[in-house]
Amino acid sequence: MADTCVNQDGCHSEEESSVAEETMFSMADMFLLSLIVGLLTYWFFFRKKKEETIEFKVQTTVASSSSRESSFVEKMKKTGKNIVVFYGSQTGTGEEFANRLAKDAHRYGMRGMSADPEEFEMVDLGRLKDIENSLAVFCMATYGEGDPTDNAQDFYDWLQEADVDLSGLNFAVFGLGNKTYEHFNAMGKYVDKRLEELGAERIFELGMGDDDGNLEEDFITWREQFWPAVCEHFGVEATGEESSIRQYELVVHTDENMNKVYTGEMGRLKSYEIQKPPFDAKNPFLGNVTVNRKLNQGGERHLMHLELDITGSKIRYESGDHVAVYPANESSIVNKLGELLGVDLDTVISLNNLDEESNKKHPFPCPTTYRTALTYYLDVTNPPRTNVLYELAQYATDPKEQETLRKMASSSSDGKALYLNWVLEARRNIVAILEDIPSLRPPLDHLCELLPRLQARYYSIASSSKVHSNSIHICAVVVEYETKTGRFNKGVATNWLRNKQPTDNGHKSSVPMYVRKSQFRLPFKPTTPVIMIGPGTGIAPFVGFIQEREWLKQQGKEVGETVLYYGCRHEHEDYHSQAVDYIKKLMTKGRYSQDVWS
């Protein structure tokens, strides 16, 4: 009751006085407020106009500069090129074929350049006709379920939406695919069809390489018919020049600051020491190995389960996605190359592009050492392609061995058969070839220029982010086999991963990786029944699917029947029971059918 007014007349008097004061202050406040608002309005509109004028000028300048830099037509005009070979490449083969075609051009009195469609404005295709005797070639690989490769995604999107007149554009397409997949060469077929729909003129038929067969032979067969068609269309003749043309020059660094030397990074120098998201093919994340165990106890094969920690990376994935891993070549193979060629592998070098206008300044990150290049950047374990043998032949001092190399690099039927038998079927890598052709001792810098890049290996993720948000699981079989020559070959990535234990001499083992999105997904409705068929390590993506279905069930969702068909080579080996137990631990609902592929 202390706050109650006893004298009501006094209370009324105080209230009236207070109201008068409030009215007076309100009028003053309103005047000041109106003045401030007026000043702010004047300042805002005049300042805004000034800022917008400045911003508009800056944007106009940047756009103009960017347009010039991303115009392949302007670059071709500047460098005197009339053939551009675009590539859509996921594993490097498409890019390699594009480089070979661009290099071929000089033999026909033309000048070519290879180009990544991701780096240029593809709308410029309509302006290519401004260059006399111009031609656009497309080496397009198909990835996954008929998808474009990462670097060709924007080009694919543009083609779908484009409403441009490409009349006057001459083109040809070579597709890279695999017949074991449903959408064989889907990207090559689409580009070939769509360019014609937009008015471009096809000067040679679509080529379709099959990686399940002999992709190299498919390409050579197409190429040896492609160039005569080009000559006929443009009225030119082959010059007969078959000489080797170097694309890069060697620079040896004797006093290079080692802090400026690449040690295996894919893009930014020291990116493995200072990690910055987002993580992708050019900026992989170092995922620490937390688990690496063998799933089978018996049998000849090694089935491994790895878990990579992605905590703090901001990497997100879904069941069905792929994890890309950058492996390293075995040190024994690298050392053997140095020994055969008599080179100090710790020499710091750079290979600089002789074409100063090229976007690709080096074949791999430079400066670096020969050892680093051969360990992290170059593919030294796959059989070399015919163009490599052709370039290397000049260094064989024995005439018979030089003739053999040139024959295998030729397009003759005997040469193709010899290459198939002696190189591909025998699985001879560059070390084996140097050992079996003793007079062949090329300069290591030229060999580094010729060898393809060591590519990331893709694995279906064997986990669900709903259950394992901070880790990515891999299920893979270690590749090991004996060749026809009695040599023992090992898969680069699986053997490298096999040796990646959680701790190595007190240090954590890490794997450079990134995630690639996939179209392989579970049905949108959890109630939809699912039948999965995965013989061997084909079960990998289904492990993630099963984990996700279980998680949904735990969330109270109704989950449809989940059926998994799996198979193993030998029913009674420990591998069979271990692998089955591995799957069954994940399964909370569904049927199992074994011995489907036993």
Side-chain angles (χ1 to χ4, degrees), residues 116-174:
D116 184 343
E118 193 173 38
E119 297 178 354
F120 296 99
E121 293 293 338
M122 297 305 287
V123 70
D124 264 5
L125 284 172
R127 296 176 52 221
L128 189 58
K129 60 186 177 185
D130 296 345
I131 299 175
E132 186 179 1
N133 287 351
S134 60
L135 170 65
V137 185
F138 300 83
C139 291
M140 309 305 295
T142 298
Y143 181 79
E145 303 300 312
D147 303 322
T149 57
D150 289 347
N151 76 308
Q153 183 66 56
D154 290 343
F155 173 47
Y156 175 74
D157 293 341
W158 175 79
L159 274 180
Q160 287 187 308
E161 300 171 1
D163 183 20
V164 294
D165 180 11
L166 295 184
S167 57
L169 170 68
N170 301 304
F171 80 94
V173 179
F174 182 81

Side-chain angles (χ1 to χ4, degrees), residues 204-350:
F204 189 60
E205 64 187 26
L206 168 67
M208 291 194 287
D210 179 17
D211 197 34
D212 189 49
N214 188 337
L215 187 59
E216 174 73 9
E217 183 173 337
D218 293 338
F219 174 69
I220 292 175
T221 301
W222 180 84
R223 186 182 67 167
E224 67 186 13
Q225 298 174 53
F226 163 74
W227 283 113
V230 172
C231 290
E232 181 180 353
H233 184 85
F234 294 112
V236 297
E237 295 182 0
T239 61
E241 295 181 24
E242 296 291 332
S243 59
S244 172
I245 298 178
R246 291 292 299 268
Q247 187 177 353
Y248 299 92
E249 64 175 351
L250 171 67
V251 175
V252 177
H253 305 280
T254 55
D255 56 353
E256 186 71 26
N257 181 349
M258 294 308 290
N259 287 325
K260 297 181 179 179
V261 175
Y262 283 87
T263 57
E265 303 94 329
M266 291 299 127
R268 179 173 53 86
L269 186 66
K270 304 298 180 184
S271 61
Y272 288 166
E273 295 180 16
I274 304 174
Q275 293 258 275
K276 296 179 181 178
F279 298 104
D280 53 28
K282 296 178 182 178
N283 182 37
F285 176 71
L286 291 181
N288 290 329
V289 178
T290 56
V291 175
N292 186 350
R293 68 173 184 269
K294 184 180 179 183
L295 289 174
N296 56 312
Q297 301 303 317
E300 300 175 354
R301 302 200 302 169
H302 182 109
L303 175 63
M304 59 182 173
H305 170 87
L306 281 90
E307 298 183 12
L308 305 177
D309 186 7
I310 58 171
T311 302
S313 67
K314 297 183 179 178
I315 290 176
R316 300 289 180 263
Y317 73 94
E318 296 179 65
S319 302
D321 285 344
H322 302 138
V323 58
V325 169
Y326 283 108
N329 290 310
E330 274 197 356
S331 59
S332 59
I333 297 176
V334 173
N335 290 334
K336 187 65 177 178
L337 267 173
E339 177 187 326
L340 286 168
L341 299 179
V343 174
D344 178 5
L345 295 178
D346 295 315
T347 303
V348 180
I349 61 142
S350 287

